[in-house]
Amino acid sequence: ENKHEEKVQDPDRGEDKTRAEMGSKTWADLAGEMKMFLWNPEERTCLGRTAKSWGLILLFYFIFYMCLAGMFAFCVYVMLLTLSPYTPTYRDRVSPPGVMIRPYLNGFTIAFNVSQPSTWQPYVDSMHHFLAAYDDKVQEEKNIECVSGQYFIQGGNESEEKKACQFKRSLLQNCSGIEDPTFGYSKGQPCILLKMNRIIGYRPGAGVPVSVDCKAQKGNESDLRSVDFYPGNGTFDLMYYPYYGKITHVNYSSPLVAMHFTDVKKNYLIPIQCSLNGKGIINDVNRDRFLGRIIFTLSIGK
């Protein structure tokens, strides 16, 4: 009973004795135990497992992860069966279209001095580079002439290559860069191109061509006194729609509208808003400055 009482009164005495025995081991003893754990020649075990045990556990994990990989591959395969490489499944976030301008170099401010060619030459070079794909000869070789004023709807399998209508840069007339290689920049009457974003299957205007208009966004409206539009009255002809995607509509050239600012107040920053107008077009969403319209600043110095 006394011994039992002593054991109850001092329960940590046994633990202290064990710690003391462990603390008396040398580094050589610890190294020997580690070596024995890594490879025990008597029991022929490695890390406490025999060769058979290692084989079974590796086989188990191999089969386990192969099953996981197979399930993942099957899920991806089933998902891909529901997708088409030609037409996006969901397109509710890209319709109606947005617009973009050219030249686009340093943001949405086009500023230059007429008397300093170095200030407007980069814009001219950018325009020539962009319109190279619209050269008349290039368009005649790659694309076909279409019937104006109606959608160019092409049937057949969606994987078949679609034909594209010609859009020649000569249609841009004074803004084509053919007669005036400086696009009016050397005269203080710059040309700016407007391009509608591509949307697969979209038919803008519901049978009526979408038109473009420009106005001074802020300040006096007389700051922007005259703007000429090309081609025609500044519309996107229906024959360039619908667009069938870059995989099948290989040679498709987006139609352009050129805005020729022939009479703008000089030495003044003028914010300009150019908008699309037509049925189904949205151009008044304040949180999106590119949806159906675009805002840029024009500054022409003498």
Side-chain angles (χ1 to χ4, degrees), residues 264-280:
V264 182
K265 186 177 180 179
K266 301 297 190 295
N267 298 316
Y268 193 75
L269 285 172
I270 305 174
I272 299 173
Q273 176 175 296
C274 293
S275 306
L276 301 179
N277 298 291
K279 189 173 182 179

Side-chain angles (χ1 to χ4, degrees), residues 110 112 175 183-185 188-192 259-262 298 300:
I110 298 177
F112 63 93
C175 289
F183 298 95
Y185 283 83
Q189 299 177 339
C191 289
I192 297 176
M259 303 168 292
H260 194 190
F261 296 90
T262 56
L298 191 59
I300 304 174

Side-chain angles (χ1 to χ4, degrees), residues 128-144:
H128 279 294
H129 178 74
F130 177 73
L131 289 175
Y134 291 88
D135 285 342
D136 290 14
K137 290 184 179 180
V138 174
Q139 289 293 313
E140 290 172 0
E141 292 175 358
K142 293 184 177 181
N143 299 330
I144 64 173

Side-chain angles (χ1 to χ4, degrees), residues 121-163:
Q121 189 62 47
Y123 297 113
V124 172
D125 294 340
S126 176
M127 292 280 279
H128 279 294
H129 178 74
F130 177 73
L131 289 175
Y134 291 88
D135 285 342
D136 290 14
K137 290 184 179 180
V138 174
Q139 289 293 313
E140 290 172 0
E141 292 175 358
K142 293 184 177 181
N143 299 330
I144 64 173
E145 293 185 3
C146 300
V147 179
S148 178
Q150 64 183 40
Y151 295 120
F152 184 30
I153 300 175
Q154 304 179 58
N157 192 290
E158 63 177 356
S159 62
E160 294 179 5
E161 185 173 331
K162 309 300 181 183
K163 298 178 180 179

Side-chain angles (χ1 to χ4, degrees), residues 18-145:
T18 301
R19 292 173 183 172
E21 291 177 353
M22 292 177 63
S24 63
K25 292 183 179 180
T26 64
W27 287 105
D29 296 334
L30 295 175
E33 292 179 358
M34 179 60 69
K35 182 178 179 181
M36 186 64 67
F37 175 70
L38 294 175
W39 173 248
N40 188 331
E42 296 179 358
E43 299 180 0
R44 303 187 65 80
T45 61
C46 177
L47 301 178
R49 291 182 178 274
T50 62
K52 181 180 179 180
S53 177
W54 276 115
L56 290 175
I57 195 170
L58 290 176
L59 179 63
F60 167 77
Y61 278 110
F62 176 77
I63 296 174
F64 175 70
Y65 285 113
M66 285 295 292
C67 291
L68 288 181
M71 292 175 61
F72 176 76
F74 177 74
C75 291
V76 172
Y77 174 73
V78 172
M79 182 188 69
L80 291 176
L81 290 178
T82 65
L83 301 178
S84 170
Y86 308 103
T87 305
T89 305
Y90 300 103
R91 292 176 287 171
D92 56 318
R93 298 187 63 182
V94 295
S95 181
V99 292
M100 192 58 182
I101 60 170
R102 293 292 188 276
Y104 176 73
L105 296 179
N106 302 311
F108 295 96
T109 298
I110 298 177
F112 63 93
N113 294 323
V114 177
S115 59
Q116 298 177 355
S118 61
T119 61
W120 49 259
Q121 189 62 47
Y123 297 113
V124 172
D125 294 340
S126 176
M127 292 280 279
H128 279 294
H129 178 74
F130 177 73
L131 289 175
Y134 291 88
D135 285 342
D136 290 14
K137 290 184 179 180
V138 174
Q139 289 293 313
E140 290 172 0
E141 292 175 358
K142 293 184 177 181
N143 299 330
I144 64 173
E145 293 185 3

Side-chain angles (χ1 to χ4, degrees), residues 194-212:
L194 189 71
K195 182 176 75 72
M196 191 187 304
N197 292 348
R198 299 178 181 181
I199 300 176
I200 297 177
Y202 182 62
R203 304 179 190 180
V208 179
V210 174
S211 61
V212 179

